[in-house]
Amino acid sequence: MVSFEAPYLQGVRPQVGRVIEEIESFGKHLEFAWDDGIVLHTHLRMTGSWHLYHPGERWRRPQREMLVAIGVDQWRAVCFNAPTVETYRSFDKRRHPGFGHLGPDLTKDAPNLDECLSRVDRFADPDEPIAEVLLDQRIACGVGNVYKSEVLWRVGVSPFRAVRDISIDLRREILDMAARLLCENRNRVRRVTAPEAPGGVAVYGRNGLPCPRCHDAIRVQRTGQHL
């Protein structure tokens, strides 16, 4: 590493000259691990993004939105607007309080859906709405607010339906649909979850517009925490 900038970072700082040994992603979580045991963890949520630039190339986001910039010989990796930017010691997710129970990553090929289903029983409150269960990273990684909305529309399940009222087969269908949509969009610049709908999405962000399936007006209601 030839440069490291993180103006608001609270925690130990990786030192110039150290070697980045591993980079791993878990849904919207991204971790850089250095050879001295320091790990940088970012969670993008709805606002964050990582960009790659050549040295001297103009950034596509303003400097004030930069939270981390990591430089190596031919590249600069820059993180903008991520709600979570932190460092900790040792590349062992069990030592990080927020990572001890991360579920399978649905953005990967052939995720373990049986493990996800098992985790629904272990971590979800039976009365919890299925929309919130889909967002629980202990159950499965990768689903955010957009995919939560689109997946449940695709399988015809109300986001407010309690998980206890959803059969095992339907839970599997929901998780399988989430994995399929996430994988289909891994390499797309523009997200497409419903090709038949204007803009490629069926319900997310389309309050008051007609539903592509029933043509009634879409009503948006926010649930859970909004970070």
Side-chain angles (χ1 to χ4, degrees):
M1 183 173 68
V2 299
S3 64
F4 182 86
E5 297 178 71
Y8 307 108
L9 178 67
Q10 298 293 319
V12 61
R13 288 176 176 264
Q15 297 300 306
V16 170
R18 306 303 309 202
V19 176
I20 299 170
E21 293 188 327
E22 192 167 10
I23 301 172
E24 283 197 300
S25 64
F26 310 89
K28 294 185 178 182
H29 299 272
L30 192 71
E31 288 195 337
F32 290 74
W34 280 264
D35 60 353
D36 59 354
I38 293 176
V39 179
L40 169 71
H41 163 233
T42 64
H43 188 193
L44 302 181
R45 295 190 184 271
M46 296 293 291
T47 58
S49 61
W50 276 95
H51 296 189
L52 281 176
Y53 300 100
H54 290 293
E57 184 180 353
R58 184 176 179 180
W59 294 356
R60 298 188 302 276
R61 304 291 301 178
Q63 174 80 26
R64 67 178 180 275
E65 297 180 5
M66 182 273 286
L67 296 178
V68 182
I70 301 170
V72 296
D73 285 342
Q74 300 297 322
W75 293 96
R76 299 292 183 270
V78 187
C79 180
F80 298 97
N81 295 324
T84 300
V85 176
E86 60 187 354
T87 55
Y88 65 99
R89 292 278 186 183
S90 181
F91 197 63
D92 181 352
K93 288 178 286 298
R94 292 171 298 179
R95 293 187 58 181
H96 189 288
F99 273 69
H101 300 292
L102 270 185
D105 188 346
L106 297 183
T107 68
K108 306 295 185 183
D109 293 329
N112 187 342
L113 298 186
D114 288 332
E115 175 64 19
C116 295
L117 288 168
S118 174
R119 285 167 175 260
V120 172
D121 290 330
R122 297 209 306 271
F123 296 124
D125 181 336
D127 294 318
E128 192 171 11
I130 185 60
E132 296 304 308
V133 173
L134 272 180
L135 295 176
D136 192 334
Q137 301 292 291
R138 298 171 304 170
I139 292 168
C141 292
V143 177
N145 284 315
V146 176
Y147 285 98
K148 170 199 72 177
S149 304
E150 295 296 299
V151 165
L152 293 174
W153 178 83
R154 290 288 293 266
V155 298
V157 173
S158 166
F160 305 104
R161 189 172 173 182
V163 68
R164 71 159 69 247
D165 297 328
I166 299 175
S167 68
I168 296 296
D169 288 343
L170 186 51
R171 293 178 191 180
R172 181 181 292 275
E173 183 181 352
I174 291 168
L175 289 164
D176 181 68
M177 179 62 70
R180 184 155 66 86
L181 291 181
L182 286 162
C183 288
E184 287 176 355
N185 283 276
R186 278 187 310 197
N187 298 316
R188 288 176 176 166
V189 175
R190 185 173 69 90
R191 181 190 301 109
V192 177
T193 56
E196 70 276 22
V201 293
V203 291
Y204 185 83
R206 301 190 69 237
N207 189 31
L209 297 175
C211 169
R213 181 184 295 136
C214 69
H215 309 295
D216 199 357
I218 296 167
R219 181 172 63 89
V220 172
Q221 181 175 337
R222 303 180 76 184
T223 61
Q225 296 182 350
H226 307 286
L227 301 175

